Amino acid sequence: MPANVEIKASVRDVMQLKLRAEELSGSEGTVVRQRDTFFGVQKGRLKVRDFMDGSGQLIFYERPDFDGPKLSNYSISPTNDPEGLTKVLSDALGLVGQVKKERRLYMVGQTRVHVDTVEGLGDFMELEVVMKENQSTEEGVAIAHKLMQDLGVNDGDLIEGAYMDLLLIKRKCHNGHI
């Protein structure tokens, strides 16, 4: 199963982060609009990523929920019918929720740097160090920490969990359950 080391952080100054990411990647990045629909599963997370252009991906992943660098194992299968697949999986497994975001993707070495604007949450940065065969988790963590420093991201900005988790917590708070 492919793996990557991930870091997710909230962003205080999105323009400054984009400038640093542009400098490090040597590009203006690529804008990607996504709607991720999550389904009820016994372990890990299962989602359909709809690129809203008729293409998408079915993604299963497992990773621990703590802030800082973490190893994520994943499987991806492309689909030409993300809406149909979403309907079938919703009927079969139950819908957990949706995350809508605009993502700017920069490549820095073996790392995908995402600057995300998430509907209902705000601005975030996500690093995905794509692990090479026989590369240790410790090497991936070191790459992530160095890039965090280069991008000006502080340990205090790190968040745990997925955007879906943050949206569910926000919904509970808004409904007065917490």
Side-chain angles (χ1 to χ4, degrees):
M1 189 178 276
N4 57 36
V5 171
E6 292 188 15
I7 289 180
K8 194 173 296 197
S10 57
V11 173
R12 295 175 212 188
D13 185 344
V14 74
M15 293 311 296
Q16 183 64 31
L17 178 65
K18 285 179 182 177
L19 284 174
R20 285 184 173 155
E22 285 177 12
E23 288 172 18
L24 292 169
S25 69
S27 78
E28 293 182 9
T30 304
V31 175
V32 182
R33 288 174 182 78
Q34 300 174 341
R35 179 175 55 229
D36 291 346
T37 304
F38 288 81
F39 307 97
V41 291
Q42 290 184 351
K43 69 172 191 153
R45 295 169 199 253
L46 182 67
K47 67 183 175 184
V48 170
R49 172 161 289 161
D50 186 343
F51 294 110
M52 297 181 286
D53 64 359
S55 71
Q57 300 170 321
L58 178 63
I59 303 170
F60 171 77
Y61 65 98
E62 294 180 284
R63 72 166 179 245
D65 287 328
F66 56 80
D67 61 8
K70 50 198 153 273
L71 188 66
S72 176
N73 295 301
Y74 60 92
S75 301
I76 298 176
S77 178
T79 180
N80 291 323
D81 185 14
E83 289 182 19
L85 187 56
T86 297
K87 169 83 171 88
V88 170
L89 290 172
S90 294
D91 291 347
L93 301 173
L95 183 69
V96 172
Q98 285 190 332
V99 175
K100 297 174 187 170
K101 64 183 173 250
E102 182 173 290
R103 167 169 279 179
R104 188 169 290 268
L105 166 65
Y106 305 89
M107 289 303 301
V108 179
Q110 71 189 80
T111 305
R112 292 189 293 249
V113 177
H114 302 138
V115 179
D116 294 337
T117 300
V118 182
E119 189 175 294
L121 288 178
D123 296 318
F124 297 86
M125 185 254 356
E126 188 177 273
L127 300 180
E128 292 179 353
V129 181
V130 181
M131 301 301 290
K132 297 177 181 174
E133 194 171 328
N134 299 323
Q135 192 172 32
S136 72
T137 301
E138 292 76 19
E139 287 177 84
V141 168
I143 291 167
H145 274 299
K146 169 88 170 73
L147 196 48
M148 244 177 79
Q149 285 181 323
D150 292 346
L151 291 167
V153 176
N154 302 315
D155 287 343
D157 297 328
L158 296 175
I159 60 172
E160 57 185 66
Y163 297 139
M164 187 73 254
D165 299 331
L166 297 175
L167 284 167
L168 291 172
I169 291 167
K170 186 176 179 179
R171 187 183 312 155
K172 281 184 183 177
C173 290
H174 182 73
N175 292 335
H177 293 113
I178 291 182

